[in-house]
Amino acid sequence: MNPYLLVIILSLVEGLTEFIPVSSTGHMILVEKFINSPYVTKSFMDNFLIIIQFGAILSVVVYFWKDLTPFVKNKEEFKEKMSLWSKIIVGVIPAGVIGLWADDYISEYFMDNSTIIAVMLIIYGIIFIFIENKTKGKSKINSIKDLSYKLAFIIGFFQCLAMIPGTSRSGATIVGALLLGLSRGVAAEYSFFLAIPTMAGATLLKLLKNGVSFTGTEWQLLILGVVLSFVIAYVVIKWFMDYIKTKTFRVFGIYRVILGILVLLLMR
């Protein structure tokens, strides 16, 4: 397959799946496996699958800029922004520590394992199908202002579950947040906020380990991927935040289960 067409497909998959609970990494690994290209090296593709997330990170920053920016004149508003960033930092500590410790192990034993990806898609799909029944009417936190540092830290541990491909970073975070009493909207919003340092850190770690010695063509592919993932992810975030105001997460659970079963059948 033409490398530019492969990059376009992977960028669309990244943008569409990064911030909804269906596992973007799992999707991209599966797509790259089934639609392989002899014109790009494995080392470049491994870097591409990580670096492309930078576009998605930027989409979160742009979409939530008014909520995130500390550049405000009002002192009370500045305190609120600092409080928010403090909760984001606390929430990302578990992923930072465990990620540094387990990154090489996960990359070696989990990243190319289609069976694990399929199984995790199914397991978390089932959880999402039933999570609404478990938490219906029990949300106590309807604003990030009401989120304690203790709960932020615990949600950070749920995010670590997504280090296994097929789990979904947003999915694991949202499940943990819902179980801890956050409303759907606040759970999704905090998941987006945690994505900024988490995904930026993962991207930087991979670049430090693998280097940035790309050819001119590879740089073009990377830039194209980042731009496309930014545009698509921004649209998806806007849609998702409107969707969860009135809808549940069950549809994502059903989708995950069906996809996981299909992957298992195709591997036979």
Side-chain angles (χ1 to χ4, degrees):
M1 175 179 286
N2 181 287
Y4 287 93
L5 180 58
L6 177 63
V7 163
I8 290 173
I9 293 173
L10 289 173
S11 301
L12 290 173
V13 172
E14 162 66 17
L16 287 170
T17 61
E18 181 60 56
F19 296 114
I20 59 176
V22 295
S23 179
S24 62
T25 302
H27 276 73
M28 288 197 294
I29 291 173
L30 292 173
V31 169
E32 193 265 333
K33 275 182 174 291
F34 289 113
I35 310 178
N36 205 352
S37 173
Y39 302 106
V40 291
T41 63
K42 185 179 186 305
S43 61
F44 169 76
M45 189 53 61
D46 289 343
N47 280 308
F48 177 83
L49 294 178
I50 299 297
I51 295 173
I52 194 178
Q53 295 178 348
F54 182 68
I57 299 170
L58 287 179
S59 71
V60 176
V61 174
V62 172
Y63 186 85
F64 290 104
W65 178 251
K66 290 183 179 180
D67 299 307
L68 293 168
T69 177
F71 305 111
V72 292
K73 296 180 179 180
N74 185 286
K75 291 184 178 180
E76 287 302 317
E77 189 177 356
F78 178 77
K79 288 181 180 178
E80 289 180 4
K81 299 299 175 61
M82 290 298 98
S83 174
L84 170 60
W85 275 106
S86 297
K87 292 171 184 176
I88 294 172
I89 293 171
V90 168
V92 83
I93 289 174
V97 174
I98 297 175
L100 285 172
W101 173 69
D103 181 65
D104 290 336
Y105 181 85
I106 292 170
S107 296
E108 182 175 356
Y109 294 103
F110 291 98
M111 291 303 290
D112 291 323
N113 194 317
S114 299
T115 301
I116 290 178
I117 293 173
V119 170
M120 298 312 293
L121 282 169
I122 294 170
I123 290 174
Y124 278 87
I126 294 172
I127 291 174
F128 269 110
I129 291 172
F130 294 102
I131 191 71
E132 295 288 342
N133 293 333
K134 176 71 175 178
T135 60
K136 188 175 182 180
K138 296 181 180 179
S139 61
K140 300 175 182 177
I141 301 173
N142 298 299
S143 170
I144 288 184
K145 294 179 183 179
D146 300 323
L147 178 65
S148 69
Y149 288 99
K150 179 181 177 180
L151 288 181
F153 188 68
I154 296 173
I155 292 171
F157 277 102
F158 277 93
Q159 182 178 229
C160 295
L161 297 172
M163 292 177 185
I164 300 177
T167 299
S168 169
R169 189 204 58 78
S170 64
T173 307
I174 289 171
V175 165
L178 290 175
L179 290 174
L180 291 169
L182 277 69
S183 66
R184 284 199 301 270
V186 176
E189 193 171 319
Y190 188 60
S191 172
F192 290 145
F193 294 162
L194 281 184
I196 299 171
T198 302
M199 293 166 60
T203 301
L204 179 60
L205 179 61
K206 290 294 183 182
L207 289 177
L208 290 175
K209 285 187 174 182
N210 301 332
V212 290
S213 55
F214 303 119
T215 66
T217 299
E218 288 174 339
W219 275 113
Q220 292 177 21
L221 294 172
L222 286 169
I223 293 171
L224 175 62
V226 169
V227 171
L228 286 176
S229 67
F230 167 82
V231 174
I232 301 301
Y234 185 91
V235 173
V236 169
I237 291 172
K238 188 177 187 306
W239 168 81
F240 187 64
M241 292 306 293
D242 289 334
Y243 174 88
I244 59 176
K245 290 177 182 178
T246 56
K247 303 291 195 305
T248 71
F249 291 113
R250 288 192 185 93
V251 65
F252 300 109
I254 295 170
Y255 169 80
R256 290 178 64 104
V257 171
I258 293 173
L259 179 62
I261 292 173
L262 287 175
V263 172
L264 290 176
L265 291 175
L266 289 172
M267 288 169 51
R268 295 180 62 184

